[in-house]
Amino acid sequence: MTLTYRPGSKQDPTYRYPDGSHNVLVSDIMQQGTPQQVFRGLTAPAALRDWTGADVEETVDGVRWHVPDLGVSGTSAAQVEGEYVTVALETAAWRTTRSDATIRLWPVPRATLVLVNHRGLSADDLDAARGLWAPGLLNRLRFWVLAMAPNSRTVGIVEPGSRE
């Protein structure tokens, strides 16, 4: 699956917003998983603990998690069940220490398309953000979804960056 965009549009990875920030778009396919399963993996404290291996706590703002080996912390900021989750991210090792990502979920036959729009990044952090999502967080989430899905199997997984 290849996502296309119009050059110069806000989806163009080289687009620079008036404040100087950039976006990173990352897509992935969660085989055998429904949008509700992926959503649960992104929002339920026990599920987040399972697939991230992170410390998780419920706060007034949402569920907060920290993944030390990836150097990222996140707090769910907004959500619509089975459709999207917005996460406020903190990364001490990047030039952009605070940013936001919206994770959208679409059902496709026997799978879920996951599209991450990571916003508010400096140009220096674009490659690190791509690596954070794929293969980092999305691979971990994918294998958790596979373990939870009925009749789960690893055959047919579309790896990040591959083209069909």
Side-chain angles (χ1 to χ4, degrees):
M1 169 175 286
T2 302
L3 293 177
T4 58
Y5 55 86
R6 184 174 40 85
S9 70
K10 290 183 180 178
Q11 289 76 34
D12 182 341
T14 62
Y15 180 85
R16 185 176 183 174
Y17 286 85
D19 66 358
S21 67
H22 297 267
N23 283 12
V24 166
L25 291 174
V26 179
S27 66
D28 204 344
I29 298 284
M30 300 291 166
Q31 293 288 344
Q32 306 294 325
T34 66
Q36 289 74 20
Q37 288 170 317
V38 177
F39 181 83
R40 184 172 147 237
L42 293 167
T43 58
L48 275 162
R49 191 175 301 110
D50 286 348
W51 70 266
T52 62
D55 296 329
V56 177
E57 64 179 293
E58 291 188 66
T59 68
V60 176
D61 298 326
V63 179
R64 181 158 176 72
W65 46 268
H66 176 69
V67 183
D69 62 310
L70 294 177
V72 65
S73 297
T75 304
S76 58
Q79 59 193 31
V80 172
E81 186 172 351
E83 292 184 23
Y84 75 88
V85 177
T86 300
V87 180
L89 297 164
E90 297 174 26
T91 48
W94 296 2
R95 184 171 175 194
T96 310
T97 56
R98 293 177 185 264
S99 55
D100 295 299
T102 299
I103 306 162
R104 296 205 174 269
L105 311 171
W106 282 280
V108 294
R110 296 181 309 155
T112 297
L113 170 64
V114 178
L115 180 64
V116 178
N117 183 6
H118 194 155
R119 300 176 304 278
L121 298 164
S122 74
D124 297 335
D125 296 330
L126 296 177
D127 288 335
R130 283 185 197 97
L132 170 68
W133 292 104
L137 293 171
L138 292 177
N139 271 356
R140 291 179 184 192
L141 178 59
R142 175 192 301 123
F143 289 110
W144 180 84
V145 167
L146 281 169
M148 297 303 295
N151 304 317
S152 64
R153 63 182 197 274
T154 57
V155 175
I157 290 178
V158 177
E159 292 299 329
S162 69
R163 297 177 187 209
E164 288 187 311

